[in-house]
Amino acid sequence: MPRRQHQDQGLFPCEAEVARRLSQDPVAWKAKALILERDGLPRIDPMMGARYWPAVQAYWNRRYGLSHVEASALDGQENLDAL
């Protein structure tokens, strides 16, 4: 059976897949990941042998200021009869 080019690797993708998802060369990603781990990038979980993908996404969201979602201000009383 031929191997698919992209295969969903779930919550703990291999490092090559993490690099692909982040548009990085796998070799360059290895060096960058070591530096980013000092800044809070989740480390490889020893039991699972990979990084927990939702935590990786959360790291990038925090890094770019997207982790705090604020409710929008109310703009007045709802009037459902207006529909």
Side-chain angles (χ1 to χ4, degrees):
M1 175 189 287
R3 184 180 169 128
R4 294 186 303 179
Q5 188 171 1
H6 168 66
Q7 184 177 5
D8 181 20
Q9 295 186 22
L11 296 176
F12 291 92
C14 69
E15 283 298 279
E17 176 61 12
V18 171
R20 187 197 69 77
R21 291 179 186 185
L22 297 173
S23 303
Q24 298 295 305
D25 173 71
V27 175
W29 169 247
K30 186 174 181 177
K32 290 176 183 180
L34 290 174
I35 295 167
L36 292 169
E37 284 177 352
R38 294 182 217 144
D39 186 46
L41 178 72
R43 297 182 186 278
I44 293 174
D45 182 280
M47 183 175 287
M48 300 303 289
R51 299 176 202 275
Y52 182 56
W53 180 249
V56 173
Q57 287 180 305
Y59 165 78
W60 289 107
N61 285 339
R62 281 189 308 275
R63 185 171 167 104
Y64 286 96
L66 301 175
S67 63
H68 299 290
V69 178
E70 297 179 20
S72 59
L74 296 176
D75 60 355
Q77 185 70 23
E78 296 293 330
N79 181 358
L80 298 178
D81 291 329
L83 300 175

